[in-house]
Amino acid sequence: MDIVTSLFVLSATATVHGASFNPCPDSWYLHGRSCYGFVKDIKTDWIEAGAFCERFSSFLVEVDTKDENDFLRNHIGTNHDTYWLGATDAFSDGNWIWVGNQRPMTFLGWSPGEPANGAGAACLTLAGNLNHHWNDDYCDRKYGFICEKEIELAMGGGGLVG
């Protein structure tokens, strides 16, 4: 285990006055090595959702594992809201990438039969009407969104509205 990982494990499991230490800003949720801000009360298009996250030194969530996807879906629960995620195929139809790191998706959480909306639907959602599985959607639609910041970046940030 390297020193960075050791420090992360120590800081994530430390207790302060009997309470667990959470390195995330107020109203953000810790999972793995990231903090997540769920914004459901502000509905906006995909571009503005990404800009909102950037104002909080974060990015639209990039889902790398089944564990992370399950965390997001479990946190949302049974509401039927739809949330923007940080992937697009706008650069090349059918070739989905995470915008923040420009990497292709390695884990896929598509709803059965998706993506199915064609070239115009170039942005990724956790779709409420599809039991919060992934769906390609039109980027100008108005939804809530999920911001993510890695733990190293999270410690100096402020809270998030929503």
Side-chain angles (χ1 to χ4, degrees):
M1 185 179 308
D2 64 21
I3 188 86
V4 172
T5 304
S6 298
L7 288 172
F8 171 77
V9 170
L10 286 172
S11 67
T13 58
T15 58
V16 178
H17 302 293
S20 292
F21 173 70
N22 182 355
C24 299
D26 290 344
S27 73
W28 289 68
Y29 298 87
L30 176 65
H31 179 76
R33 296 183 72 146
S34 292
C35 297
Y36 299 86
F38 293 81
V39 181
K40 68 176 189 168
D41 296 331
I42 299 172
K43 308 293 188 211
T44 188
D45 63 47
W46 187 80
I47 296 290
E48 184 54 36
F52 186 99
C53 292
E54 285 181 18
R55 288 191 290 273
F56 287 89
S57 301
S58 62
F59 49 90
L60 281 174
V61 66
E62 299 178 358
V63 185
D64 297 317
T65 65
K66 180 181 183 321
D67 178 63
E68 183 178 22
N69 195 58
D70 290 346
F71 162 75
L72 299 173
R73 293 179 68 221
N74 289 334
H75 182 83
I76 292 167
T78 58
N79 77 50
H80 294 289
D81 291 338
T82 294
Y83 296 85
W84 289 120
L85 304 180
T88 186
D89 74 342
F91 301 107
S92 176
D93 188 41
N95 294 311
W96 288 86
I97 62 166
W98 297 113
V99 172
N101 61 28
Q102 302 294 304
R103 290 188 326 230
M105 296 174 170
T106 53
F107 168 79
L108 301 175
W110 296 107
S111 186
E114 297 297 337
N117 292 325
C123 296
L124 183 65
T125 66
L126 270 181
N129 65 331
L130 298 173
N131 196 27
H132 293 114
H133 289 288
W134 298 3
N135 181 46
D136 60 328
D137 211 327
Y138 298 92
C139 304
D140 61 350
R141 295 210 172 140
K142 309 283 190 211
Y143 298 125
F145 49 95
I146 305 167
C147 299
E148 177 181 3
K149 57 172 75 182
E150 294 174 2
I151 201 77
E152 295 81 7
L153 300 175
M155 294 204 193
L160 180 70
V161 177

